[in-house]
Amino acid sequence: MRKIFLFLFCVAFFLAGCSQRNQANVVNVWHWMIDRQETFLELAQQYKEQTGIEVKFELYAPSETYSRKIIAAAQARVLPDIYGILGDKKKLASFINSGFVADLTKDFEGNGGAWEKSIFSKALDSNRFEEGNVYSVNSGIYGVPIDVMNIQMLYNKDLLAKAGIKRYPKTFTEFMEDIAALNRIGIEGLISGWGETWMVDCFASNYAFNIMGEEKVMATYKGDVPYTDEDWIKVFTLFKDLRENNALAQGIVTKGNKYAEQDFALGRSAFAFNGSWCVNVYNEMDQNLNYGVMLPPVVNEERPMQIWGGAGSSFVVNDSSKNKQQAINFLKWLTAKEQQAFLSKKTKNLPANRYALSSIPEILSQFASAMDKTTHPSIWKYNEDAMVQETFDRGIQSIIIGEKTPEEVAQAVQAMKVREMEKAQKRMKRQ
């Protein structure tokens, strides 16, 4: 801990010593998006030619290095005019409550709400705090999404055709029938980066919402419904069914997503579970890959399938910046239709501006068409405790490899839930 403090102090001292002071007609932006730096610089040049305002994009990567820099800069109070905050909504709330983030609500609502109406509402929700939120943040909008994303399933059209499958499956029963057809000709079913537990969690929560609905899922996170409930057993059993029906690619729980993306791009699996960022990835791996986008096939046909999605990357404005209005003006320009179309074309990410969709590639349009079906932990009323989540995700991995039964995992997750709730109650009593 002492070493960490010393490290942050040194970084903060360094930042304080070399930070760029606020300059008139100069807006400083810090970010971590390596793949977008060149495009950002092109847009900055366009903005300077149009307005005379210079925008300096400074790239700091990887993301862990960037996050440490932002924390140190906040401690030294040398944050740039515009920056991004990596992490969950709790972390964004801590920056807001510390006075490091400007409330942009009036800017979004001005001019008849033109700026707000132009942005996907699900993307804005990631940066929006409602009245009475659990983070004690004043209600408002505190960030600007520059792109959006959602996570769906992909299917290889050529492999499905080879197995005699004429259309992608819409129900879980149809999916299992297709898996059997693919297996008969030696083609693996679903690949994903489930070595990364957050992707397992994403897939599982999709089906939890589909099987029992959001209200019951939130009641579980709150502690009112146990994980041994029959609906949660159905969620865990789903992964047992996938294993027993040979629906998952070999080694799926050991693969990082980059390796899983290679497998799908090389035609080793017929289906993939991946986010909209994959369009750019697959394009670089194989420009002739013939694939389509589909929602995960439903188990409960009475409920819609909801998927994770919303803001891909967002910027916030430093509330202490002397160039605050210039920073806001630039973000309005950056998220306008023309600039969003340019950004999307160059980076193959979904634009945050809904009016820019008309000029994006067809495959991105397929992702965009499901934005109204998105949800995300960053906008949920409750989130699960980290230790419980870890037990949940690791438990599902153990079901996939046949180490534990759904019932055993349900009991283990519930035991951890009870333990963590008791610890939380003790902490509250001590305060």
Side-chain angles (χ1 to χ4, degrees):
M1 179 60 78
R2 212 170 156 184
K3 288 183 179 177
I4 294 173
F5 176 79
L6 182 61
F7 170 77
L8 290 175
F9 175 80
C10 291
V11 175
F13 182 78
F14 171 76
L15 288 167
C18 66
S19 69
Q20 300 171 36
R21 298 189 180 283
N22 292 112
Q23 298 171 276
N25 295 330
V26 176
V27 173
N28 292 295
V29 185
W30 288 0
H31 75 100
W32 67 95
M33 294 166 265
I34 297 174
D35 62 327
R36 282 166 246 192
Q37 175 69 353
E38 187 177 332
T39 308
F40 282 152
L41 295 178
E42 288 185 60
L43 286 165
Q45 182 61 34
Q46 291 179 25
Y47 192 65
K48 186 175 182 179
E49 291 170 0
Q50 292 179 25
T51 65
I53 305 295
E54 183 178 1
V55 179
K56 293 184 176 178
F57 279 96
E58 296 184 27
L59 170 66
Y60 300 96
S63 55
E64 294 79 9
T65 300
Y66 174 80
S67 289
R68 285 197 295 270
K69 183 177 178 69
I70 288 296
I71 292 171
Q75 292 172 333
R77 297 191 176 278
V78 291
L79 285 165
D81 306 306
I82 298 172
Y83 60 102
I85 300 172
L86 288 171
D88 56 20
K89 206 158 189 174
K90 183 179 180 181
K91 188 172 183 181
L92 172 60
S94 70
F95 270 72
I96 296 169
N97 287 331
S98 298
F100 298 135
V101 180
D103 183 349
L104 304 177
T105 309
K106 290 182 180 177
D107 298 282
F108 274 106
E109 293 179 346
N111 191 25
W115 194 14
E116 182 173 0
K117 291 174 184 173
S118 71
I119 305 294
F120 279 109
S121 60
K122 293 295 181 73
L124 270 183
D125 287 346
S126 298
N127 300 299
R128 189 197 311 270
F129 288 82
E130 302 291 350
E131 192 71 39
N133 61 81
V134 298
Y135 306 106
S136 301
V137 171
N138 291 333
S139 61
I141 303 172
Y142 291 86
V144 181
I146 59 168
D147 54 36
V148 296
M149 67 88 189
N150 63 58
I151 303 172
Q152 299 192 54
M153 282 178 61
L154 301 311
Y155 60 98
N156 185 313
K157 294 180 179 178
D158 294 336
L159 294 182
L160 263 59
K162 192 179 290 187
I165 301 166
K166 295 182 178 176
R167 66 173 179 86
Y168 65 81
K170 294 186 178 180
T171 69
F172 201 75
T173 301
E174 291 176 353
F175 178 64
M176 288 302 191
E177 291 170 354
D178 290 349
I179 290 295
L182 288 160
N183 285 172
R184 280 195 290 273
I185 58 172
I187 298 174
E188 288 192 325
L190 175 66
I191 184 66
S192 186
W194 286 1
E196 300 174 27
T197 54
W198 74 270
M199 292 200 76
V200 178
D201 191 45
C202 175
F203 192 83
S205 77
N206 288 168
Y207 280 100
F209 273 58
N210 176 241
I211 289 171
M212 69 187 83
E214 179 175 351
E215 187 176 343
K216 192 167 182 177
V217 174
M218 292 300 111
T220 307
Y221 294 165
K222 189 181 176 185
D224 294 341
V225 173
Y227 280 98
T228 49
D229 180 272
E230 63 177 353
D231 280 339
W232 281 105
I233 297 294
K234 289 179 184 174
V235 175
F236 293 126
T237 302
L238 193 77
F239 293 91
K240 178 187 173 189
D241 292 342
L242 289 169
R243 172 174 60 83
E244 291 183 342
N245 286 279
N246 201 28
L248 303 175
Q250 290 292 316
I252 191 171
V253 297
T254 62
K255 285 186 184 289
N257 203 38
K258 287 194 180 301
Y259 296 102
E261 287 169 338
Q262 285 178 352
D263 285 348
F264 185 72
L266 291 171
R268 293 171 180 158
S269 294
F271 297 97
F273 180 65
N274 206 355
S276 50
W277 58 81
C278 72
V279 174
N280 191 32
V281 175
Y282 295 147
N283 183 66
E284 291 180 357
M285 292 179 174
D286 181 3
Q287 294 185 359
N288 296 317
L289 184 63
N290 186 19
Y291 67 102
V293 183
M294 57 180 261
L295 287 170
V298 296
V299 170
N300 183 354
E301 297 182 48
E302 301 299 317
R303 291 185 190 279
M305 176 58 73
Q306 288 184 271
I307 54 174
W308 280 20
S313 303
S314 294
F315 281 132
V316 300
V317 174
N318 181 356
D319 200 34
S320 301
S321 168
K322 292 180 180 176
N323 296 329
K324 187 160 71 174
Q325 191 54 54
Q326 287 188 347
I328 294 169
N329 291 343
F330 172 69
L331 289 177
K332 281 185 179 177
W333 180 86
L334 184 65
T335 53
K337 178 183 175 183
E338 293 76 14
Q339 286 67 247
Q340 283 282 289
F342 180 82
L343 195 60
S344 179
K345 181 180 178 183
K346 287 280 188 174
T347 67
K348 294 183 174 54
N349 285 293
L350 283 172
N353 187 311
R354 61 174 69 247
Y355 304 132
L357 290 178
S358 58
S359 54
I360 65 175
E362 167 60 24
I363 193 71
L364 275 176
S365 295
Q366 293 179 35
F367 273 104
S369 64
M371 282 305 297
D372 290 339
K373 296 179 173 59
T374 59
T375 184
H376 195 268
S378 65
I379 63 171
W380 295 346
K381 188 173 183 178
Y382 301 101
N383 285 130
E384 188 51 278
D385 173 88
M387 292 295 291
V388 179
Q389 200 65 64
E390 177 79 6
T391 308
F392 180 92
D393 298 336
R394 296 294 181 196
I396 288 175
Q397 289 180 326
S398 69
I399 293 171
I400 292 172
I401 60 178
E403 280 187 352
K404 292 183 179 177
T405 67
E407 291 76 14
E408 288 173 334
V409 171
Q411 290 170 5
V413 177
Q414 183 57 25
M416 180 61 76
K417 179 74 175 177
V418 171
R419 190 181 313 163
E420 291 304 304
M421 288 181 69
E422 289 175 350
K423 286 166 65 176
Q425 288 172 353
K426 288 178 181 177
R427 284 196 297 270
M428 288 181 66
K429 287 180 181 177
R430 287 197 296 269
Q431 292 174 352

